Amino acid sequence: MLYREAGQFKTNYVADSAIFPLREDRIGLAVIILAAYALAFLGNSFVLQAVMIPFLVFSLAAIGLNILTGYTGLLSLGTGAFMGVGAYACYKLMTAFPGVNVIVWIFVSGFFSAAVGALFGLPSLRIKGFYLAVATLAAQFFLQWCFIRIPWLVNYNVSGALDAPLRTLFGIPIMGPNATPQTRYLLVLTIVILLTWLASNLVHGRIGRMWIAIRDMDLAAELMGIRPLQTKLLAFAVSSYYCGVAGALLVFLWYGGAEYDVFNINQSFFILFMVIIGGLGSLIGSFFGAALIFILPIVLGIVLPAALSPFGLSVGADVIEHLRFMIVGALIIFFLIVEPHGLARLWQIGKQKLLVWPFPY
């Protein structure tokens, strides 16, 4: 038996409250992190650039939305706009202070997104559910309008686009046309691991318990002494911070440049679907949802032609795209009705029944 709790005793409170109390969880996590870093030296440029970097970026954005929707129970449809705030803030900071390392500005840009997210989160004290979703949808359209109509955000660039200038770290290009996919992947992976570790500590600590109490019953949480407004605004701020950092990574470490349309409403729904399918209230579910939705069309584009070619049949890109939407739509309906915790819950059940090697929840 590879995965069991029997015989692993806790002798103090610190050990009992650890995020990964089981030895198998810690070993499994270490193996996965080592494999992820090893992929930078074993994988080719296509895998790193077209698959792994966007997968990690969207996983980070899904973690941000999961903090707000999964842990706090507040629905948001403005994720794409908050990602845009982080990207535009990072661009302004990079160009205004070129002597400061760009990694600093990637992290700092999230604070601008957090401030904007907290501002649009103010109505959450009075409204929730559908009405809060409409309020965040208004934030999406308003911020997207700002990206189009305020040329100062792009330094009055006539094209209206964000571009990634050459930036280095210890003499190695990490941004711009000379940066290799391997270097950018290692940087994105390190940032995602660091912020995921921070999110894990937040949701398993006092702040996370406050968010969960607000999600389960806000009136009871208020009677217990939890302040709803501060707790909800904190959730909006932290969620928007993660989305802002993800937006900066999206533009400058994956696309290498982008226009305002990248942060449209489709992007917000795209990340919301990741959270629903991966699992509400689960960090690992954010990675599962991003993997399924983003990597699914790539897998379909490889598997379907190979499976149908012996029969003399061919599949076009439009058919694969329609099939992808059908599969994603069916999974969303299934998980909303049958299993709200998504793929993360199915994975947990699989660990218990099949006794497979664990992945920390």
Side-chain angles (χ1 to χ4, degrees), residues 53-65 79-80 82-88 90 105-107 109-111 113 188 191-192 195 238-255 262-263 267 271 274:
I53 292 178
F55 159 69
L56 292 172
V57 170
F58 286 121
S59 297
L60 186 63
I63 288 175
L65 183 58
T79 309
F82 298 139
M83 292 176 67
V85 172
Y88 279 89
C90 185
W105 296 137
I106 289 176
F107 285 106
S109 64
F111 290 105
S113 184
V188 172
I191 293 175
V192 170
L195 291 181
V238 174
S239 171
S240 300
Y241 177 87
Y242 275 75
C243 293
V245 174
L249 296 178
L250 179 76
V251 173
F252 301 110
L253 293 180
W254 181 34
Y255 284 152
V262 172
F263 308 108
Q267 192 77 281
I271 298 169
M274 292 180 185

Side-chain angles (χ1 to χ4, degrees), residues 62-63 65-66 69-70 271-280 285-286 289:
I63 288 175
L65 183 58
N66 218 335
T69 303
I271 298 169
L272 179 61
F273 296 158
M274 292 180 185
V275 173
I276 293 174
I277 293 176
L280 294 168
S286 302

